[in-house]
Amino acid sequence: RRRHSFPTRRSSDLLEVVAGVLQRPDGSFLLASRPPGKAYAGYWEFPGGKIEPGEAPYAALVRELQEELAITVTAATPWLVQQFVYPHAHVHLRFYRISAWQGEPHAQEGQQLRWQHPGQLDVSPMLPANTPILRALSLPGLAALTCAGEIGQARILAALPAQLAHGLRLLLVREPGYARAELASWVAQLAEHTRPAGCRLLVNADPDWLAGWPIDGVHLNSARLAACRQRPDFAWVGASTHRVDELQHAAKLGLDYALLGHVQPSASHPAQAPLGWEGLACQLAEAGPSLPVYALGGLDAADLARAQLQGAHGVALMRGAWA
């Protein structure tokens, strides 16, 4: 799966657009068909529209959804950014996740509306610039990393069933001190728990090690990410990042997510100054991420809402996941 590349154009040629991902508590999200008379009529997309000259993106989002759906947005956070070149326009889309609104969505412009669930889309065709958002929606807000080399395998195995029962759906195996055979044995033990629960299991290791392992993908550390020139051939691929250029490289490779940190003081990096919440927001704003980004480092589940307010997809927990 590759990201789209774009011809060089003046910024004035960009059509600035906002789009809203309305999400209900059950995880479903709203799609709308493009009405007759518009380009790509009948294609499905996330509702939204053009930002008017001098208009702030959030204000445009509120206005567009009032006009299109007759709702008033009351809680929304910035999320992903996409660029796409259509025959009729080069669009720059800012997606917001919307968790609260007033009123019930009703089509105001002759479009169709349909609530969908991640991974269970039953409408088509989808407007191309919106397609990567569907994959991102299948990723949970919380991810966990193992640290058995520090706290022991027994502690993680004791805590894992409760985490899975509470909805853990993304587990990253991070054991830099493990040899290949030891890591393979540890992964096999974890897979016995994660597979029945529907939790994706990714491993931070040399991709060449992982053929035939009971996993869903590979996670690249920052050194492997820097050396990578094409997306590894796995269903799911993520990476650890610490800077804007690393985030941008991960997006260029078409990776599925990135970790960004550390946000708060962390035992893993005691000598490095943390980004802080403001630093996290600044890096995300500068990168304009086209892939979901998890905030990492010194965080716990209670930090999820604050991380999303800064533009992150969610938070990744290491020691905090196994307390």
Side-chain angles (χ1 to χ4, degrees):
R1 192 173 64 89
R2 298 178 63 84
R3 302 283 175 186
H4 296 276
S5 58
F6 314 106
T8 302
R9 299 191 180 191
R10 300 186 309 274
S11 60
S12 59
D13 292 332
L14 284 175
L15 182 63
E16 296 287 349
V17 174
V18 288
V21 182
L22 278 73
Q23 292 182 282
R24 297 193 295 199
D26 66 356
S28 61
F29 56 89
L30 187 68
L31 290 179
S33 65
R34 290 181 63 79
K38 286 192 175 183
Y40 288 87
Y43 279 68
W44 291 83
E45 64 180 351
F46 294 94
K50 292 187 295 184
I51 302 174
E52 299 295 342
E55 188 177 33
Y58 188 88
L61 179 75
V62 173
R63 175 184 55 74
E64 284 286 347
L65 296 192
Q66 176 67 51
E67 293 172 358
E68 289 188 18
L69 305 177
I71 62 170
T72 300
V73 173
T74 56
T77 55
W79 187 30
L80 302 182
V81 175
Q82 293 285 316
Q83 288 194 36
F84 201 91
V85 178
Y86 292 104
H88 69 289
H90 180 184
V91 296
H92 179 254
L93 297 106
R94 305 169 190 261
F95 288 88
Y96 285 78
R97 287 196 293 190
I98 301 170
S99 56
W101 58 89
Q102 295 175 349
E104 186 64 25
H106 290 287
Q108 302 296 300
E109 299 178 349
Q111 73 272 48
Q112 299 181 65
L113 304 178
R114 191 80 61 83
W115 290 98
Q116 302 286 285
H117 288 270
Q120 302 175 31
L121 201 68
D122 64 8
V123 298
S124 65
M126 194 75 186
L127 201 64
N130 291 255
T131 301
I133 307 305
L134 300 175
R135 189 167 174 88
L137 281 168
S138 71
L139 288 171
L142 289 174
L145 291 80
T146 70
C147 49
E150 177 185 337
I151 67 174
Q153 294 182 7
R155 181 170 165 185
I156 291 176
L157 290 174
L160 184 56
Q163 289 282 29
L164 293 170
H166 283 88
L168 177 65
R169 293 297 178 264
L170 180 59
L171 179 60
L172 312 177
V173 183
R174 180 189 179 275
E175 306 295 351
Y178 278 22
R180 183 175 183 176
E182 186 179 17
L183 183 61
S185 174
W186 177 223
V187 168
Q189 292 182 71
L190 294 170
E192 291 179 2
H193 295 272
T194 58
R195 287 207 156 180
C199 175
R200 294 189 182 103
L201 183 64
L202 280 72
V203 180
N204 185 337
D206 184 339
D208 292 338
W209 286 11
L210 306 179
W213 289 25
I215 61 173
D216 299 285
V218 62
H219 182 90
L220 306 175
N221 61 22
S222 55
R224 291 191 183 99
L225 174 64
C228 192
R229 292 297 173 264
Q230 65 180 21
R231 176 190 166 98
D233 189 19
F234 290 83
W236 291 88
V237 185
S240 296
T241 66
H242 305 90
R243 305 187 309 269
V244 170
D245 63 307
E246 292 176 334
L247 272 177
Q248 292 171 334
H249 184 49
K252 184 177 180 180
L253 291 170
L255 303 194
D256 298 298
Y257 70 88
L259 308 183
L260 177 60
H262 57 289
V263 177
Q264 301 286 40
S266 168
S268 301
H269 303 84
Q272 298 178 15
L275 290 172
W277 291 112
E278 183 177 349
L280 173 70
C282 288
Q283 291 215 14
L284 290 172
E286 184 177 349
S290 60
L291 75 170
V293 177
Y294 288 90
L296 173 70
L299 306 178
D300 59 35
D303 292 309
L304 176 60
R306 187 169 188 180
Q308 291 178 336
L309 192 61
Q310 315 308 315
H313 178 82
V315 297
L317 315 177
M318 191 159 62
R319 295 163 195 83
W322 316 114

